[in-house]
Amino acid sequence: MLTLGIDIGSTTAKCAVLEDGRDFRAVSLRDSGVGTDGPQAAFEGVLAELGVSRRDIDCVCATGYGRAAWQDADLRASELTCHCLGGVYVFPGLRTLIDIGGQDAKVISIDANGSMAEFVMNDKCAAGTGRFLDVMAALLRRPVDSFAEAAARSKSPASISNTCTVFAESEVISQLAAGAAVEDVIAGVCRSVATRVGSLARRLDVREPVCMSGGVARNAAVREALSEYLQVPILFDERAQLFGAMGAAIYAAKRQSKE
Ligand code: ADP
């Protein structure tokens, strides 16, 4: 049995194909999300990698912000459910998952059976999401995937006091004009995201083990600052950005085996 999860996010599209509810056979990721050709490209990409067609897939489950718009789904499931399933698959016994995506952040408490117990979410404000980092990357003319390396060179991280993204942009411009080093500004920007999400997480009981998911999990500077803020180790897996798609494929497999 092959099941496919497609996670259509605000900035990226991800797919994962699972065999018999156990082993992932292929994944794909495209850097354009809902309302673009990214989801179709990710979908075709993962099928091509496996050398199969849509007919060979027993069940397709769509998740993410754009899941309602994906016509070719047999099922749909929330991002919370899917990230939780993906996280527990990669880290059995996981108790807290912190997902930072392109336009929102969620913290999920997971019970001892691997099911979601509680969650808190920020989907109202760009601060504390990938959007904040992307806005700063455009302003600094540096790719967001170079932020962790730059932040690691910082000797004195800048303090970004504004939580509003628009005001924080002006603050960064003023700091650069006053001679602040770019790496110190980048370290400050990464810390700012970690502090916002960390304070969201503190509304729940942050039980260990804790992991991060979503694209921002790939930024080691945010991971380290969040770990410092919450005073807990944060687990990371290279597939963190794919947890939603992986969880959707797992959800589809569970539903198929019930039928
Ligand atoms: P969504 O599902 O909402 O589209 P993702 O979970 O894919 O969002 O996360 C997208 C965010 O991840 C981007 O806004 C960007 O800040 C961040 N990101 C993506 N790739 C990388 C990378 N290689 N290094 C650091 N950050 C990244």
Side-chain angles (χ1 to χ4, degrees):
M1 173 183 61
L2 292 178
T3 57
L4 186 153
I6 178 163
D7 179 3
I8 305 173
S10 58
T11 56
T12 63
K14 289 82 62 179
C15 288
V17 175
L18 182 67
E19 186 171 8
D20 296 334
R22 276 195 310 271
D23 302 312
F24 281 95
R25 294 270 311 276
V27 295
S28 63
L29 186 145
R30 295 291 182 278
D31 277 330
S32 48
V34 66
T36 70
D37 58 5
Q40 190 63 37
F43 189 69
E44 286 170 11
V46 83
L47 294 179
E49 194 187 320
L50 271 179
V52 300
S53 72
R54 169 66 177 95
R55 284 190 308 281
D56 300 313
I57 305 292
D58 296 280
C59 185
V60 172
C61 177
T63 188
Y65 185 63
R67 65 183 177 275
W70 185 255
Q71 301 296 325
D72 201 8
D74 300 304
L75 289 173
R76 292 186 174 79
S78 79
E79 288 153 88
L80 292 163
T81 300
C82 294
H83 275 270
C84 187
L85 286 170
V88 171
Y89 174 90
V90 174
F91 299 115
L94 186 71
R95 297 304 296 268
T96 307
L97 180 137
I98 302 174
D99 166 39
I100 316 181
Q103 68 168 21
D104 64 17
K106 312 170 190 80
V107 183
I108 307 173
S109 273
I110 300 167
D111 66 21
N113 302 319
S115 302
M116 178 169 61
E118 262 187 289
F119 75 94
V120 284
M121 178 166 184
N122 161 31
D123 60 356
K124 301 278 180 283
C125 169
T129 73
R131 178 88 190 127
F132 186 84
L133 294 160
D134 298 343
V135 164
M136 295 304 172
L139 178 70
L140 298 167
R141 294 195 176 81
R142 304 236 172 163
V144 79
D145 62 8
S146 70
F147 271 26
E149 198 193 316
R153 287 198 305 272
S154 166
K155 292 193 176 58
S156 164
S159 160
I160 313 284
S161 57
N162 279 292
T163 47
C164 168
T165 307
V166 178
F167 289 139
E169 248 186 306
S170 312
E171 190 179 357
V172 162
I173 293 167
S174 311
Q175 288 182 352
L176 292 170
V182 174
E183 56 262 32
D184 290 340
V185 170
I186 291 175
V189 162
C190 293
R191 281 188 181 201
S192 161
V193 170
T195 305
R196 287 285 288 197
V197 179
S199 64
L200 181 73
R202 279 194 179 156
R203 283 159 50 188
L204 296 177
D205 184 14
V206 178
R207 291 221 177 104
E208 289 181 53
V210 182
C211 85
M212 272 185 78
S213 70
V216 177
R218 297 174 69 184
N219 182 330
V222 174
R223 288 199 312 269
E224 280 157 22
L226 191 53
S227 168
E228 196 179 307
Y229 183 91
L230 293 173
Q231 293 287 293
V232 291
I234 294 186
L235 301 171
F236 171 69
D237 183 278
E238 290 297 332
R239 295 166 289 179
Q241 198 170 9
L242 295 159
F243 280 11
M246 290 166 68
I250 296 167
Y251 185 84
K254 284 180 187 282
R255 287 287 289 269
Q256 285 291 102
S257 56
K258 270 190 201 152
E259 278 171 10

